[in-house]
């Protein structure tokens, strides 16, 4: 396993490698029961799920806005826990919250976190359009991450309302320049701007991190009601 991380210039501590070895074991076991992923070979799981999730650490440090402040990261549409769980393993001092509308996925994540002894992981069952309007979540997070969840303009409307002003959103996407161009209107409406785009390759697949900063407070009309961001994206 270590050689697959090193292949992508990721140096892990022994205790982190042990957690990933345990994660591989319990993920495969759960996958045989409830079909979490079509990816079933060890090397593919390690690279396409584990490595892909934590490569972000090469390009971004999860740093607090103020000294001695806990960093809060939400993984929107976390699914079966990627990228949140791998990121939680290698960033133990950061608080991660997985948000998803499917309860059985969150139950699996909670089981994984318990078995991996991850104390920095919690979950919330709900839709982005609803939670993004609630005071407990709106503009409460330092970072938002989301992996392969939706068309970028839609994804921005889901995610940006959760961010504090000055916070960072990272979209894990396939490398698609046209999709990137389509986000211009949504960025303007939601009070955000692209900081940088970092391309990388996993198993010959061209992927990218789109790193976005929230520069002003999002108008209260966003996110729009359930289903509208999907049906009528801001393009």
């Amino acid at each position: 396993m270590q050689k697959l991380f090193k292949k992508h210039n990721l140096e892990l501590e022994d205790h982190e490698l042990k957690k990933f070895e345990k994660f591989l074991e319990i993920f495969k076991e759960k996958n045989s029961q409830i079909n979490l992923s079509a990816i079933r070979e060890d090397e593919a799981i390690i690279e396409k799920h584990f490595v892909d999730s934590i490569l972000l650490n090469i390009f971004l440090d999860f740093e607090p806005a103020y000294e001695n402040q806990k960093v809060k990261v939400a993984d929107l549409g976390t699914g079966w826990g990627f990228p949140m769980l791998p990121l939680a393993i290698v960033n133990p001092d950061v608080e991660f919250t997985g948000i998803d509308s499917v309860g059985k996925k969150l139950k699996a994540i909670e089981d994984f976190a318990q078995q991996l002894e991850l104390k920095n992981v919690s979950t919330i069952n709900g839709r982005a359009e609803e939670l993004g309007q609630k005071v407990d979540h709106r503009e409460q997070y330092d970072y938002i991450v989301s992996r392969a969840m939706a068309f970028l303009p839609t994804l921005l409307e889901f995610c940006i309302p959760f961010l504090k002003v000055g916070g960072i959103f990272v979209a894990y996407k396939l490398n698609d320049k046209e999709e990137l161009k389509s986000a211009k209107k949504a960025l303007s409406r939601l009070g955000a701007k692209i900081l940088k785009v970092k391309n990388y390759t996993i198993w010959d697949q061209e992927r990218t991190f789109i790193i976005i900063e929230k520069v002003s407070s999002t108008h209260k009309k966003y996110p729009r009601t359930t289903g509208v961001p999907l049906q009528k994206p801001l393009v």
Side-chain angles (χ1 to χ4, degrees), residues 196-221:
K196 50 191 172 182
V197 176
K198 294 294 184 180
N199 299 324
Y200 63 99
T201 303
I202 293 282
W203 276 46
D204 297 326
Q205 187 178 64
E206 295 299 317
R207 300 188 58 81
T208 190
F209 293 120
I210 305 170
I211 301 174
I212 293 164
E213 181 184 11
K214 182 166 181 171
V215 294
S216 62
S217 188
T218 302
H219 193 285
K220 62 183 180 182
K221 69 181 178 181

Side-chain angles (χ1 to χ4, degrees), residues 23-216:
F23 195 3
L24 178 62
E25 174 190 329
I26 61 179
F27 182 82
K28 286 166 61 181
E29 181 182 357
K30 182 72 77 172
N31 202 19
S32 70
Q33 298 167 359
I34 60 173
N35 192 28
L36 309 180
S37 170
I39 301 169
R40 296 185 180 272
E41 295 179 0
D42 288 8
E43 288 195 4
I45 293 169
I46 293 165
E47 288 202 69
K48 293 184 178 182
H49 287 321
F50 299 170
V51 170
D52 186 50
S53 293
I54 67 169
L55 268 175
L56 179 60
N57 270 34
I58 292 177
F59 305 111
L60 183 73
D61 292 323
F62 291 109
E63 295 181 347
Y66 304 99
E67 195 173 350
N68 300 321
Q69 183 186 48
K70 271 284 188 182
V71 176
K72 294 175 65 177
V73 181
D75 179 3
L76 205 63
T78 188
W80 303 110
F82 301 108
M84 179 178 69
L85 291 174
L87 285 172
I89 290 172
V90 297
N91 298 280
D93 296 326
V94 175
E95 292 182 356
F96 288 90
T97 301
I99 299 172
D100 205 281
S101 61
V102 182
K104 73 173 183 178
K105 293 182 178 180
L106 299 180
K107 179 63 171 64
I109 289 171
E110 289 162 7
D111 289 345
F112 290 148
Q114 183 177 20
Q115 292 185 68
L116 294 169
E117 299 180 344
L118 297 176
K119 308 298 185 185
N120 58 333
V121 169
S122 61
T123 63
I124 296 172
N125 187 198
R127 298 189 65 90
E129 300 98 319
E130 296 168 3
L131 293 173
Q133 291 287 359
K134 294 185 180 295
V135 293
D136 289 350
H137 300 289
R138 189 177 182 86
E139 301 196 339
Q140 296 299 308
Y141 296 89
D142 302 288
Y143 296 86
I144 304 291
V145 294
S146 191
R147 182 173 180 251
M149 182 190 169
F151 180 51
L152 186 56
T154 298
L155 188 58
L156 288 166
E157 186 171 352
F158 286 159
C159 294
I160 298 300
F162 286 87
L163 273 180
K164 297 175 182 176
V165 174
I168 300 294
F169 166 49
V170 182
Y172 288 62
K173 301 287 286 183
L174 292 176
N175 189 2
D176 184 338
K177 291 181 175 60
E178 290 305 313
E179 185 177 11
L180 194 59
K181 288 178 184 176
S182 74
K184 185 176 180 180
K185 181 177 178 180
L187 288 165
S188 176
R189 290 278 184 91
L190 299 165
K193 68 175 183 180
I194 294 174
L195 283 183
K196 50 191 172 182
V197 176
K198 294 294 184 180
N199 299 324
Y200 63 99
T201 303
I202 293 282
W203 276 46
D204 297 326
Q205 187 178 64
E206 295 299 317
R207 300 188 58 81
T208 190
F209 293 120
I210 305 170
I211 301 174
I212 293 164
E213 181 184 11
K214 182 166 181 171
V215 294
S216 62

